[in-house]
Amino acid sequence: MTAPETVTVVDALTQDGATVRFVGGCVRDAVAGRPVGDIDIATPDPPETVVALLEAAGLRALPTGLAHGTVTALSGDRHYEITTLRIDLETDGRRAVVAFTDDWTADAARRDLTINAISADRDGRLHDPFDGIADLKAGRVRFVGAAEERIREDVLRLLRFFRFYAHYGVPPPDPDGLAACRALAPLVPNLSGERVQAELFKLLAADSAAEVMALIAEEGVLTHVLPEAVDVARLRGLIAVEAALAIDGRQIRRLAAVLTTSPAGIDDVAERLRLSGADRAYLHEVAAASDGFAPVAEERARRHWFYWHGAQLYRELLLLDAARQGGIWPGLTEQLAEAAAWSRPSFPLNGDDVLALGVVAGPEVGVLLRTIESWWVGEDFGPDRAACLARLLAEYRAGGGSVLHRPVNRGTT
Ligand code: ATP
Ligand code: MG
C-alpha cells in the first residue's frame, strides 16, 4: 500500500481535495499481517470525476462497473479498484441498486463482515466502525448488522461467511451467522453460477477447507450449494498430503476430491458452477481414471502408463489416491517428482510411413501404426526409426501385404 504505483494513484485521486481510503481485503490483510492481494480504494467522488482525475495524472482508467461506481486504475503493473462510497437503495438477494454518498460509515455499513469493513487513510490511520480489528484478532467472522437481513439483501454473503470463516475464523463459528445461513440456505440456488464458483473455489483454497465443508454439511447448507460434495474425508486427506509434501493446493483437485458423482453428475456440477472447459475436463478425466487406479510399482510400467495416459494425470491420481488411503507412503515423493520431470518420447513413425508401403488410406493405417507403437512402448521406447520401419514392414508382410506388388486397393480382388 506504500508502493510508488499506489502513491501515484492516491495522489491522483486526491488532486481535487477529496479524501480517499483503502478499503476491504487489503486493509483486513494488512491488519492481520498477511500478504496483501488486490488493493481497493474508496472515494466520495463520483466515477466520472475518478476517471477525469486518473486521466489527468496520465493513468489509464477502465470503466469496469460504472453503474456500481467502480473504475479500475492501471498504475505500473498493478491495477486498483476505485469505488465511489455507496449505499444500497434496493436489493433482491442477487443484485443491488446503489446510490453514491459521501458518508464513510454508511459505506462501511453495507459491507458484509466486520473484518471487511475496516478502512485506512493513506497515512495508515484505521477506521473501524464495527470492531473488525478485535474480531480479526479473535478469529470472529460475523456480519455487520443482523445476519439474516444481510443475507437476504445478497445471498452470496452466506457463502462469503463460510469462505472468510475458513480463512480467518477460529472455532466456534458465530452462532447468529450460522443460524442465518442454516435458515436461508434454500436461497443459494438463485445465485449465478459464476459467483458461487468464485466463493467455493476461494473456500477450497483454505487450509481448513475440509473442516469448513464438514461444517457446511452438518448445518444442512451443503445440500443447497453442492450436494455432490460427499467425500469430505478425502478432501481432508488431500489437504494433509499437500501440506506434508508442500504441494500447491489446486482448487480443482480439491473439488475433485470432495465430489462423489457420475459423469452426468459432473456435467451437472460444471453447468451449475459455470466451470471452465478445462476444469470440467479435469473432473471427467480424473473421475474416469480413478476407478480401479493403483500406483504402478514398477518403473518401466510406470513410464508406459505415462506414455499412454499422461504423467500429469498420474500425478493427480497419485495425490487423490494418497488422500483416500490416508497418507504418504515410501516412494510417493519420488514418483511425483518422476511424473513431474517426465517428458514424452515421440514415436518415430507416422501415417505416411504406412501409406508408403502401399496401404490404402483408411482405418487399417491407424491399426498398423498402433501395433508398432505398442511394440515400441513395450521395448521401452528404445527402437529407433529404422528399427520401427523394419518392424512395420515385418508386421505388414505377416498380415499378407507385399511391398513388391503394391496393391492399389488391398482387400478387394
Ligand atoms: P479477496 O479479494 O481476498 O477475496 P476481499 O475482501 O477484497 O477479499 P472482494 O470480493 O474483493 O473481497 O470485495 C472487496 C470488499 O467489498 C470486501 O472486503 C467487502 O468489504 C465488500 N464486499 C464484497 N462483496 C460483498 C458483498 N457481497 N456484500 C457486502 N460487501 C461486499
Ligand atoms: Mg479484493
Side-chain angles (χ1 to χ4, degrees), residues 24-26 28 37-40 202:
C26 65
R28 178 194 68 230
D38 293 343
I39 294 183
D40 297 329
K202 284 180 175 177

Side-chain angles (χ1 to χ4, degrees), residues 87-402:
I87 47 174
D88 292 337
L89 292 183
E90 277 173 46
T91 54
D92 64 0
R94 289 161 58 101
R95 55 186 83 79
V97 179
V98 303
F100 301 140
T101 175
D102 56 7
D103 181 343
W104 285 98
T105 307
D107 181 83
R110 67 165 286 286
R111 294 179 184 273
D112 50 0
L113 305 168
T114 60
I115 58 172
N116 287 345
I118 315 165
S119 58
D121 286 347
R122 67 177 305 169
D123 55 26
R125 199 157 55 94
L126 294 167
H127 303 265
D128 182 20
F130 304 105
D131 286 330
I133 297 174
D135 287 346
L136 194 57
K137 302 241 145 93
R140 274 191 304 263
V141 173
R142 59 180 182 97
F143 287 97
V144 172
E148 264 212 47
E149 199 178 305
R150 302 315 309 286
I151 294 173
R152 282 191 193 281
E153 289 168 359
D154 180 359
V155 177
L156 192 73
R157 291 171 188 159
L158 188 156
L159 299 178
R160 289 174 64 89
F161 175 78
F162 289 110
R163 190 252 279 196
F164 284 100
Y165 179 69
H167 286 278
Y168 299 90
V170 172
D174 175 58
D176 290 345
L178 210 52
C181 291
R182 218 163 30 229
L184 299 178
L187 299 176
V188 169
N190 299 336
L191 290 168
S192 79
E194 289 86 351
R195 294 181 85 201
V196 174
Q197 183 202 136
E199 288 305 323
L200 192 66
F201 275 36
K202 284 180 175 177
L203 194 165
L204 284 171
D207 293 342
S208 66
E211 288 69 27
V212 175
M213 289 295 274
L215 171 70
I216 298 176
E218 275 159 31
E219 296 296 323
V221 171
L222 197 57
T223 51
H224 301 284
V225 180
L226 193 65
E228 298 87 349
V230 174
D231 206 344
V232 173
R234 191 183 183 197
L235 175 63
R236 184 175 289 122
L238 176 64
I239 293 172
V241 168
E242 288 169 344
L245 300 175
I247 287 175
D248 260 3
R250 284 180 72 184
Q251 287 131 315
I252 190 65
R253 184 192 302 130
R254 291 185 175 186
L255 182 61
V258 81
L259 288 183
T260 305
T261 185
S262 63
I266 290 174
D267 282 328
D268 205 42
V269 169
E271 290 300 323
R272 270 173 18 235
L273 296 179
R274 296 262 169 274
L275 295 185
S276 68
D279 281 350
R280 180 195 293 237
Y282 177 99
L283 293 180
H284 276 300
E285 217 185 347
V286 159
S290 291
D291 236 4
F293 172 83
V296 181
E298 208 219 334
E299 193 182 333
R300 186 183 152 105
R302 225 158 35 235
R303 282 197 292 273
H304 301 176
W305 202 108
F306 293 174
Y307 183 80
W308 292 118
H309 311 292
Q312 267 313 316
L313 179 61
Y314 187 77
R315 194 165 177 277
E316 296 302 306
L317 294 177
L318 272 188
L319 291 169
L320 288 163
D321 178 72
R324 195 191 303 282
Q325 307 303 329
I328 320 279
W329 38 270
L332 173 63
T333 314
E334 290 74 11
Q335 284 202 21
L336 289 168
E338 181 189 77
W342 197 72
S343 77
R344 192 174 196 264
S346 90
F347 179 49
L349 304 188
N350 63 34
D352 290 342
D353 298 311
V354 182
L355 293 173
L357 296 178
V359 178
V360 176
E364 203 188 340
V365 175
V367 171
L368 258 174
L369 204 56
R370 233 30 78 209
T371 305
I372 308 307
E373 188 178 17
S374 298
W375 166 78
W376 171 75
V377 172
E379 296 295 315
D380 215 21
F381 319 105
D384 61 5
R385 180 172 160 76
C388 287
L389 280 172
R391 181 81 188 185
L392 172 64
L393 187 57
E395 187 69 30
Y396 177 60
R397 282 180 175 152
S402 160

